[in-house]
Amino acid sequence: MRWPRIWSLLGAETRSKRRLLLVVSVYVCLMGLVWLAQVPLRPSYKTQIHNKLTDALQQQLKKPDRRPEKQFEALLADPKETGQQPEKVLTVIFKRVDGDQDNLISLVELVTWINSKIQHHISQSLRENFVIFTMVDSNPRNGLISWEEYHHYFLKKHGLNETYIKNHDKKHRGLVRSIKETIMKEKRAWSEAARSDPSYLNVDEFLAFRHPESSHSTIVQLVEELLDKFDRDGDDTLTETEYASLRAEGDLEHEAEELRQGEGERRAEFRTLIDKNHDGRADRNELLVYIDPRNPRHARDEAETLVMLADTNKDGFLSLPEILNKMDLFLSSKMVNAAKSFHDDF
């Protein structure tokens, strides 16, 4: 008999507490509005982090740049363009490559150096591609670059004034022969890179045009060409035998003999460098890794070739006199100028 009375009292008490809680809540909200009117809003956590990073960057920019790399990178430019003495360029680089300072460059030191130059060049190419693309894409700014836009940028970069750029004829009468030849070379490279539209390049095609060694689409194309040439059974993979038994382009007997002599080396290369999962076949992914210029095997191949051609006393090391004796070889190599060497290769 007492339970209904108890529930009634409890219900009344609950309703009273609810009214009191509502009054307190309204009061707190009003006081909060008054406080917010006088105190600026606290920035979000994301905004605080952004501000801290901005402050840190500003402080970093105020510090003087003591890195010696800027002067050194300028030294690595083509001596013919910068006026640097080739002997000086090679001497400075020799001292940098010679890590243990024993006046000899070992194969390990040379591989390490060339690999670092390759990685730096490709990373730099990827960073600057979008910046230059945005700069060239100006008339109109539509996310595509026409040959006329790029040609304007090219002529301006080579020191020609706006009057000449706007009024020049197609044959570029009056320009020095070297620039004319460069323009023709650029036009051919443009045609190869413009896959979606022959008149325009998108940002990826622009990378393939200026730095094909840094373009994923170029590397994919090379893989497809490799499969098309050597995949005899058409299963989109390469076997060791297919890779090792390269087909001669001509019918000359001495070419076939050279291919047979290198078969053992190509088999070893396939097993150690290409077929990473050791299943006897190389698929597209394995071939992509193998062809990618960032693969350290390219630095090793370059270093071994340089040592083989320049090591006159056959001690397995390179001395400064040996390098200076093969000056043209080293000036065109990735040891000195990775960008120029890549562009010559491609």
Side-chain angles (χ1 to χ4, degrees):
M1 296 293 294
R2 294 181 180 179
W3 288 111
R5 175 62 177 170
I6 294 174
W7 283 115
S8 178
L9 291 175
L10 287 175
E13 184 179 0
T14 300
R15 288 192 296 272
S16 176
K17 287 182 178 180
R18 285 178 179 174
R19 285 195 295 269
L20 178 60
L21 181 60
L22 179 61
V23 172
V24 172
S25 299
V26 172
Y27 176 79
V28 170
C29 289
L30 289 174
M31 293 300 296
L33 291 174
V34 173
W35 182 77
L36 287 174
Q38 297 177 352
V39 180
L41 290 174
R42 181 181 179 84
S44 67
Y45 178 75
K46 183 177 181 180
T47 303
Q48 293 179 58
I49 295 298
H50 173 76
N51 292 338
K52 288 180 180 179
L53 287 174
T54 302
D55 294 341
L57 287 172
Q58 290 176 347
Q59 292 299 322
Q60 186 67 27
L61 290 174
K62 292 178 182 178
K63 298 179 181 179
D65 190 357
R66 295 189 176 90
R67 295 175 301 172
E69 291 302 318
K70 285 191 175 182
Q71 292 181 351
F72 182 68
E73 291 298 334
L75 185 68
L76 293 184
D78 191 343
K80 296 179 181 178
E81 297 179 1
T82 61
Q84 298 275 7
Q85 293 183 354
E87 295 87 350
K88 179 182 178 182
V89 173
L90 291 174
T91 300
V92 172
I93 293 175
F94 180 88
K95 293 178 180 178
R96 295 289 294 265
V97 181
D98 181 19
D100 56 10
Q101 303 298 308
D102 64 349
N103 294 320
L104 291 171
I105 293 178
S106 68
L107 186 59
V108 172
E109 288 173 330
L110 190 56
V111 171
T112 302
W113 172 267
I114 293 175
N115 187 56
S116 69
K117 295 297 105 180
I118 291 174
Q119 305 299 330
H120 173 75
H121 165 68
I122 292 180
S123 298
Q124 187 178 44
S125 300
L126 293 171
R127 285 196 302 269
E128 73 174 16
N129 182 65
F130 184 76
V131 175
I132 297 178
F133 182 89
T134 304
M135 182 192 310
V136 178
D137 176 27
S138 58
N139 187 27
R141 190 176 294 279
N142 58 355
L144 295 171
I145 291 179
S146 66
W147 170 252
E148 289 72 22
E149 286 176 313
Y150 177 76
H151 193 50
H152 184 281
Y153 164 79
F154 175 89
L155 294 175
K156 191 172 183 180
K157 184 180 178 182
H158 283 76
L160 298 166
N161 57 42
E162 289 290 338
T163 302
Y164 176 85
I165 294 174
K166 291 180 180 179
N167 300 299
H168 71 81
D169 58 13
K170 292 183 178 180
K171 294 184 177 180
H172 288 288
R173 291 183 177 89
L175 284 186
V176 296
R177 182 169 181 170
S178 60
I179 296 183
K180 290 182 180 180
E181 291 175 349
T182 303
I183 291 173
M184 290 187 290
K185 184 179 178 181
E186 296 274 84
K187 186 64 175 177
R188 288 193 298 269
W190 175 282
S191 299
E192 293 177 2
R195 298 189 175 279
S196 54
D197 187 331
S199 302
Y200 297 92
L201 296 182
N202 58 36
V203 66
D204 294 327
E205 292 169 337
F206 189 65
L207 178 63
F209 165 62
R210 297 187 67 250
H211 298 287
E213 72 284 353
S214 304
S215 168
H216 182 72
S217 61
T218 302
I219 299 173
V220 170
Q221 179 187 350
L222 291 175
V223 169
E224 295 303 324
E225 291 176 358
L226 188 66
L227 286 170
D228 182 63
K229 188 173 183 180
F230 303 127
D231 179 22
R232 298 180 182 180
D233 57 9
D235 64 349
D236 288 337
T237 63
L238 287 185
T239 64
E240 180 181 324
T241 300
E242 287 173 332
Y243 183 77
S245 304
L246 301 182
R247 290 172 287 184
E249 295 295 334
D251 296 326
L252 296 177
E253 185 177 346
H254 72 275
E255 290 184 355
E257 180 62 26
E258 289 179 359
L259 291 175
R260 284 192 294 270
Q261 290 176 356
E263 184 174 336
E265 295 179 1
R266 291 192 296 275
R267 287 187 179 277
E269 182 179 23
F270 183 89
R271 290 193 296 268
T272 59
L273 299 177
I274 302 178
D275 183 20
K276 289 298 185 180
N277 61 2
H278 306 294
D279 65 350
R281 292 183 175 275
D283 58 20
R284 279 185 170 80
N285 289 332
E286 288 172 316
L287 292 172
L288 280 170
V289 173
Y290 174 72
I291 292 177
D292 191 336
R294 289 169 290 191
N295 189 322
R297 67 103 178 173
H298 295 287
R300 187 209 64 189
D301 291 346
E302 177 99 352
E304 288 179 349
T305 300
L306 292 174
V307 172
M308 180 184 67
L309 295 176
D311 180 21
T312 54
N313 63 1
K314 304 303 178 184
D315 64 349
F317 295 86
L318 290 178
S319 64
L320 182 57
E322 287 174 329
I323 289 177
L324 295 178
N325 189 46
K326 294 282 187 179
M327 194 177 302
D328 291 339
L329 171 67
F330 284 92
L331 288 175
S332 62
S333 72
K334 294 178 180 63
M335 171 183 166
V336 175
N337 195 330
K340 184 178 184 302
S341 178
F342 268 127
H343 295 174
D344 289 345
D345 293 342
F346 279 81

